[in-house]
Amino acid sequence: QQPVQSPQAVILREGEDAVINCSSSKALYSVHWYRQKHGEAPVFLMILLKGGEQMRHEKISASFNEKKQQSSLYLTASQLSYSGTYFCGTERSGFQKLVFGTGTRLLVSP
Amino acid sequence: DTAVSQTPKYLVTQMGNDKSIKCEQNLGHDTMYWYKQDSKKFLKIMFSYNNKELIINETVPNRFSPKSPDKAHLNLHINSLELGDSAVYFCASSQQPGLAAISYEQYFGPGTRLTVT
């Protein structure tokens, strides 16, 4: 089952903050986050492992609540380059694959 | 140097035809993947190979047949193409060792946009 992301889309002005959520109905081992710009390939941002620490990539950070099977991506002081579609990829223990979420479109305007 | 490359970038063909997409990675990774991204941007895994061995084979029609001649290459052959096969197909690779948990990042190729008319 595909993880659900919220919101589906968000528009920000440069410098504003945003939170993207990823929720699964299954117990998770890890959560990956990727960003895909229009017409391009997904690019890795970070991995959160069960029992691991909160991760950070530049001004983007993420957390993973294992009990709730949820992960959140925090974009701080957004930049124009943050625009794109963000996907979470979830992994269940024993399943050697990522199941990607529904995606969140982010548009940062000047 | 391109890490993960795919050919062709665009593929337009008619229903019923057979086509192939090629993928190569020069990262020395052990695991390669094929993903399909549909018009709604949903990204779904199709296959994964580790050192030429098939690891993941999702519920994909038999018309799709992956082949890995060596660990740096993973090709996808599609027989009897249908309209619903139209999508962007991404190849990816990672250091992922076989059946271990996926704790390594995946590097995606630029994608092949397949249009079936």
Side-chain angles (χ1 to χ4, degrees):
Chain A
Q1 280 178 313
Q2 191 172 26
V4 177
Q5 290 182 229
S6 61
Q8 286 187 316
V10 59
I11 299 175
L12 297 176
R13 288 220 181 263
E14 207 173 358
E16 292 181 337
D17 301 339
V19 180
I20 299 172
N21 299 303
C22 173
S23 183
S24 173
S25 60
K26 306 288 185 182
L28 301 176
Y29 178 80
S30 73
V31 179
H32 296 217
W33 284 96
Y34 287 78
R35 176 171 61 209
Q36 184 179 27
K37 293 185 180 287
H38 182 69
E40 298 181 8
V43 174
F44 172 80
L45 293 175
M46 64 188 77
I47 295 174
L48 297 111
L49 300 176
K50 187 176 177 180
E53 299 175 354
Q54 184 171 359
M55 299 299 290
R56 174 173 290 275
H57 171 80
E58 299 174 349
K59 289 186 178 178
I60 300 173
S61 61
S63 63
F64 176 24
N65 186 324
E66 301 152 32
K67 290 182 181 177
K68 293 185 177 179
Q69 294 106 321
Q70 291 177 346
S71 178
S72 295
L73 190 71
Y74 308 93
L75 298 102
T76 307
S78 59
Q79 305 168 14
L80 296 177
S81 61
Y82 285 5
S83 293
T85 301
Y86 289 78
F87 291 98
C88 64
T90 60
E91 181 199 5
R92 294 167 60 193
S93 185
F95 292 77
Q96 294 80 35
K97 65 177 182 180
L98 290 182
V99 178
F100 282 92
T102 48
T104 296
R105 285 191 177 181
L106 175 70
L107 176 64
V108 181
S109 60
Chain B
D1 284 343
T2 303
V4 182
S5 58
Q6 291 179 230
T7 53
K9 188 164 175 64
Y10 300 96
L11 193 50
V12 181
T13 188
Q14 292 183 327
M15 282 176 57
N17 285 346
D18 303 338
K19 290 294 177 186
S20 291
I21 306 172
K22 295 187 175 182
C23 177
E24 177 181 358
Q25 55 96 2
N26 62 6
L27 297 167
H29 288 167
D30 291 325
T31 303
M32 296 184 73
Y33 311 82
W34 277 115
Y35 287 91
K36 178 181 180 181
Q37 187 170 45
D38 63 21
S39 57
K40 294 183 178 179
K41 303 298 183 189
F42 293 150
L43 193 61
K44 187 173 180 184
I45 189 166
M46 300 172 68
F47 304 101
S48 75
Y49 271 76
N50 177 263
N51 276 321
K52 304 191 296 176
E53 183 182 346
L54 181 66
I55 302 295
I56 297 288
N57 184 348
E58 287 294 281
T59 310
V60 176
N62 290 338
R63 300 181 294 103
F64 290 80
S65 53
K67 278 203 174 64
S68 182
D70 55 61
K71 76 173 194 176
H73 296 84
L74 180 61
N75 304 323
L76 184 66
H77 187 76
I78 316 171
N79 290 325
S80 305
L81 279 154
E82 299 178 357
L83 293 176
D85 297 333
S86 295
V88 179
Y89 292 84
F90 286 102
C91 175
S93 74
S94 76
Q95 274 183 284
Q96 195 60 40
L99 298 179
I102 298 185
S103 53
Y104 293 89
E105 64 185 276
Q106 296 186 15
Y107 293 79
F108 284 78
T112 295
R113 181 173 293 276
L114 172 65
T115 303
V116 182
T117 60

